[in-house]
Amino acid sequence: MTPAIEVRQATREHRVGQTAVVALRGVSLTLHRGEHVAVVGPSGSGKSTLLQLLGGLDRPTAGSVLIDGQDTAELPQAELARIRNRVVGFVFQGFHLQPRASALDNVALPLVYQGVRRAERRRRAADLLDRVGLADRARHLPGQLSGGEQQRVAVARALVTGPTVLLADEPTGNLDSVTGERLLDLLAGLNAEHRVALAIVTHDHEVAARARRQIVMRDGRIVSDSHIVSDSRIAGDGRIAGDTARRTGRA
Amino acid sequence: MRIGEAVRVAVGALVAARLRTALTVLGVTVGVSSVMVLIAIGDGTRREVAGRVDELGSNLLLVVPGKMEIGMPTVSRMQLSDVAAVGRVVGDPDRVAATVASGEMVQAGTAKTFTTVAGVLENNRTVLVRQLARGAYLSRADVDSARRVAVLGATVARVLYGDTDPVGRQVTVAGVRFRVAGVFAPLGQSLGVDRDDEVHIPLTTAQRLFATTRVDGLAVRAADPAGMAALGDRIVAELAERHPDSAFSVVTQDQILSVLGDILDVLTGVLGATAGISLLVSGVGVANIMLVSVRERTREIGLRKAVGARPADIGAQFLAEAVLLTSVGGVLGIALGAGTTLAVERLTPLPTLLTAWSVALSFGVAATVGLLFGTLPALRAARLDPVHALRTE
């Protein structure tokens, strides 16, 4: 089975005037379906850049990133957009909801770019809102929702197209600890139920501790990549890992 | 993304920035309406000219001295004997009208006015089809014995006599006393020229008054419209034989119409282009506001790209917004333009004519302006780097 995402010796340089700032230095890793990974490290360690490469928002300046077996460097922008639409889902620290659109229409947004008709979009979005426990908030505008509710809308939006990978960048960064905890429960539960690979970038060790695999980054490099649950239980076997996750999700 | 979806998003964005949208639309509205009004005036003028020329009939030939070209007017060498000769060529002297004209002061009591005094033959009225409001036209006897009788244009009659009936009264033309024989029915204005500002007197009397023997021009009412070109050639040949060192030209109504049409085309074009400049300026306004919109919504663009919008989707969304702006401006501009055209027709002497093509053109130009000036901002939005865009505050 092809890994969901494969990163091979990926380097990402940013040119700022004359100087080149290296955000990632030859990083390699493989992400399988159903995995639950936390990427930790101090700010500036390259963890957000890594997440952007994993989701096809950005491309490496050297090395390669394969999403669903496709090398992002070789894909035209339109194809890369298709991958972002169908294969990955993003959750950001700042929610990034459209302020003038209802929770329902926010969730339905990715379906717009699949050419799905409005009624069908809303039906599927309502289904997802129901799954994140916000069925009764469908008509609300983001401004009328709490931070935790807004982030759950964002999670529903990330999942509405049925992606293989869910990428979350500091998803609890703007939430208080109780709300954050509940959001992580939700993510873990979705990870288990839908065999969606979940990669969370965080500098919060409590958040990281919930993942079964931890990747620690420093200065653009991966300094450790360890499985917390025994290797035999995970080793790319998403189904078994899913069972574990389901238990934690219900806890 | 479907077109309908792009339009829906565009409407939402435009409504959210109401004041900005309204001001931008206003610019386009003014541009479109001015294009429409000026084209309407150009078309109205053309129609009026065509109508005027049509009135004279298609079987009328005008004989003038000199070549048909724009430049200094040629002084005529034609005389009454030439009129008779042309009459023989035509076969019926009653079909050949002759004129000698001069600007003169006319006076009745203390009222006076400067007007065009035309010396004509008695057949002028039938050849050029003129209606009288009062009295009688000049007679053959008037012309033969060079009598001092005059027929007044409606304007001259009103200025000199007010509401009084001038027929039988005295009028002084260039210091010589005349008797008023009749008054023309009013013709109104044409292209800003008062067609009722004239006085007709017998040609013979006029030649004596102006101290000349010349005839300025002839008008020939051909019996057979089909043979007009040949008749014109025969007339020119006859005149050339009589005056070997002078040139003569014959023009038909169709030729006049075509020449005037060309001039009016240029005029309409220049007017339209002038108004087009204001439309262009409004287009720059649209581009400007769209760039602001793209900058303001950088985060939104980043998010849309993150959830799968292709560059083309983003471009289409902003292009739809620009075209929508100018299209709304176009529709409002057509309404304003139609209203203004109506006002011009009622309140000014300028003729107007609203045509379907000018309405369609105005709207088409507005939409094109949106496409043109929306392209740069749309491209900028389409090319935004999603990582950078998402980070923007």
Side-chain angles (χ1 to χ4, degrees), chain A residues 52 57-58 77-78 81-82 84-85 90 92 94-96 98 100 109-110 112-113 115-118 121 157, chain B residues 1-2 5 8 12-13 16 299-300 303-311 313-314 317 385-387 390-391:
Chain A
Q52 286 151 10
L57 262 185
D58 198 4
Q77 285 291 342
R82 212 181 106 85
R84 292 196 293 262
N85 185 244
F90 285 98
F92 303 97
F95 316 146
H96 279 293
Q98 312 278 69
R100 292 189 311 272
L109 183 65
V112 166
Y113 299 108
V116 178
R117 292 208 165 273
R118 201 178 189 194
R121 288 203 304 262
R157 179 181 63 195
Chain B
M1 183 159 65
R2 293 165 194 279
E5 201 58 45
R8 204 197 316 264
R299 266 165 66 93
E300 176 193 325
L303 185 274
R304 285 179 182 273
K305 286 197 159 189
V307 300
R310 293 166 302 166
D313 293 323
I314 299 293
Q317 178 190 328
D385 167 28
V387 172
L390 281 166
R391 231 184 281 141

Side-chain angles (χ1 to χ4, degrees), chain B residues 30-391:
Chain B
V30 169
V32 168
S33 61
S34 42
V35 168
M36 247 181 80
V37 171
L38 290 179
I39 289 180
I41 291 172
D43 284 347
T45 308
R46 185 201 314 273
R47 182 182 57 176
E48 187 163 309
V49 168
R52 170 86 182 100
V53 173
D54 261 3
E55 258 173 42
L56 293 171
S58 60
N59 59 339
L60 193 73
L61 281 173
L62 299 181
V63 182
V64 291
K67 293 273 181 208
M68 262 293 280
E69 56 191 25
I70 294 169
M72 290 297 288
T74 314
V75 174
S76 175
R77 288 174 186 251
M78 285 191 287
Q79 308 204 320
L80 265 176
S81 55
D82 297 311
V83 179
V86 170
R88 283 192 296 277
V89 171
V90 174
D92 180 358
D94 280 345
R95 291 186 169 275
V96 181
T99 316
V100 57
S102 176
E104 300 292 347
M105 189 63 73
V106 294
Q107 193 171 350
T110 55
K112 56 182 172 182
T113 180
F114 191 81
T115 188
T116 303
V117 174
V120 296
L121 300 178
E122 78 286 348
N123 62 8
N124 186 283
R125 190 190 158 194
T126 48
V127 172
L128 292 166
V129 196
R130 296 294 299 270
Q131 304 297 324
L132 285 182
R134 294 168 184 280
Y137 197 62
L138 308 173
S139 68
R140 173 163 295 186
D142 291 335
V143 176
D144 286 349
S145 26
R147 287 186 186 140
R148 299 200 299 273
V149 289
V151 176
L152 309 183
T155 300
V156 176
R158 194 181 63 248
V159 169
L160 296 187
Y161 300 98
D163 293 333
T164 324
D165 181 359
V167 175
R169 290 176 179 267
Q170 280 203 346
V171 61
T172 307
V173 179
V176 178
R177 285 182 178 178
F178 280 69
R179 183 180 55 82
V180 177
V183 178
F184 283 119
L187 292 170
Q189 292 216 335
S190 160
L191 310 175
V193 176
D194 182 358
R195 291 162 62 196
D196 299 314
D197 191 8
E198 61 171 355
V199 172
H200 282 196
I201 60 175
L203 185 79
T204 45
T205 318
Q207 286 183 331
R208 208 172 288 171
L209 190 66
F210 305 154
T212 181
T213 55
R214 74 170 202 276
V215 169
D216 288 335
L218 310 178
V220 179
R221 178 69 68 184
D224 173 20
M228 281 185 45
L231 180 63
D233 289 347
R234 272 167 33 225
I235 291 171
V236 169
E238 172 70 19
L239 288 170
E241 196 176 306
R242 297 171 65 90
H243 301 277
D245 51 347
S246 294
F248 296 92
S249 307
V250 168
V251 277
T252 63
Q253 298 302 304
D254 285 349
Q255 285 170 317
I256 295 176
L257 210 57
S258 129
V259 169
L260 285 177
D262 288 351
I263 294 171
L264 287 172
D265 275 347
V266 173
L267 189 76
T268 307
V270 169
L271 286 176
T274 310
I277 290 171
S278 71
L279 201 51
L280 217 63
V281 171
S282 74
V284 174
V286 169
N288 207 349
I289 228 61
M290 288 309 300
L291 285 174
V292 171
S293 179
V294 169
R295 169 158 300 187
E296 266 183 3
R297 285 150 69 200
T298 300
R299 266 165 66 93
E300 176 193 325
I301 294 165
L303 185 274
R304 285 179 182 273
K305 286 197 159 189
V307 300
R310 293 166 302 166
D313 293 323
I314 299 293
Q317 178 190 328
F318 282 90
L319 207 53
E321 197 172 315
V323 173
L324 203 66
L325 263 180
T326 56
S327 298
V328 170
V331 170
L332 292 179
I334 285 168
L336 180 65
T340 311
T341 302
L342 223 76
V344 166
E345 179 75 44
R346 292 220 177 142
L347 305 177
T348 76
L350 291 169
T352 62
L353 176 64
L354 268 184
T355 56
W357 81 265
S358 79
V359 172
L361 180 85
S362 304
F363 184 80
V365 168
T368 309
V369 162
L371 266 180
L372 227 59
F373 287 91
T375 299
L376 174 76
L379 278 179
R380 178 169 286 195
R383 288 177 183 157
L384 271 182
D385 167 28
V387 172
H388 185 77
L390 281 166
R391 231 184 281 141

Side-chain angles (χ1 to χ4, degrees), chain A residues 174-191:
Chain A
N174 283 2
L175 305 176
D176 64 66
S177 59
V178 176
T179 316
E181 197 68 20
R182 284 180 58 198
L183 186 84
L184 292 171
D185 288 346
L186 173 70
L187 290 176
L190 293 165
N191 168 237

